[in-house]
Amino acid sequence: QVQLVESGGGLVQAGGSLRLSCAASGLTFSGYAMGWFRQAPGKERAFVAAISWSGGSTNYAESVKSRFTISRDNAKNTMSLQMNSLKPEDTAVYYCAATRSGLPTISQLYAHWGQGTQVTVSS
């Protein structure tokens, strides 16, 4: 049974930083590209970032480029999202997801999902 468990969310002031983590089990972690999505209240789930199975390639939404950094540790079956210079519009539930389909930005191409972790950025 595949499990993806996010952690690290919380409340932070604008301009602050948070580091999200995703712990994976029940799958061959190094065989999957991984991604982060987020969903704000009343909005659709949106792509944030993705990283290839090796960590050698990454992809970011324009809105987070230069502020967020995605990384992974295949030895520990974990993925992280370092979020700096946070803005109130970054407030959302953040989900990690696993895919065998390259570095897609489309949520439907991700086969496995975590339950999400809340990030709230106050102004």
Side-chain angles (χ1 to χ4, degrees):
Q1 179 182 357
V2 176
Q3 278 196 315
L4 301 177
V5 180
E6 302 93 338
S7 61
L11 173 65
V12 64
Q13 287 189 330
S17 298
L18 279 176
R19 185 177 182 86
L20 305 184
S21 294
C22 174
S25 62
L27 77 171
T28 304
F29 186 67
S30 60
Y32 286 80
M34 300 294 294
W36 287 98
F37 286 74
R38 65 188 182 186
Q39 188 165 19
K43 295 188 176 181
E44 294 189 353
R45 193 168 296 189
F47 171 76
V48 175
I51 188 167
S52 63
W53 68 270
S54 67
S57 298
T58 57
N59 189 17
Y60 293 92
E62 284 297 323
S63 60
V64 307
K65 270 184 183 177
S66 78
R67 298 189 299 123
F68 291 10
T69 302
I70 190 171
S71 62
R72 68 187 294 162
D73 185 338
N74 286 347
K76 296 182 179 179
N77 286 7
T78 59
M79 173 181 67
S80 296
L81 185 70
Q82 178 66 42
M83 306 186 295
N84 299 328
S85 302
L86 283 162
K87 304 175 181 180
E89 51 263 43
D90 294 319
T91 295
V93 177
Y94 283 71
Y95 299 89
C96 71
T99 180
R100 287 188 174 274
S101 302
L103 292 176
T105 62
I106 302 171
S107 62
Q108 289 87 341
L109 294 179
Y110 286 78
H112 306 292
W113 291 84
Q115 293 300 305
T117 185
Q118 176 70 47
V119 171
T120 303
V121 184
S122 64
S123 57

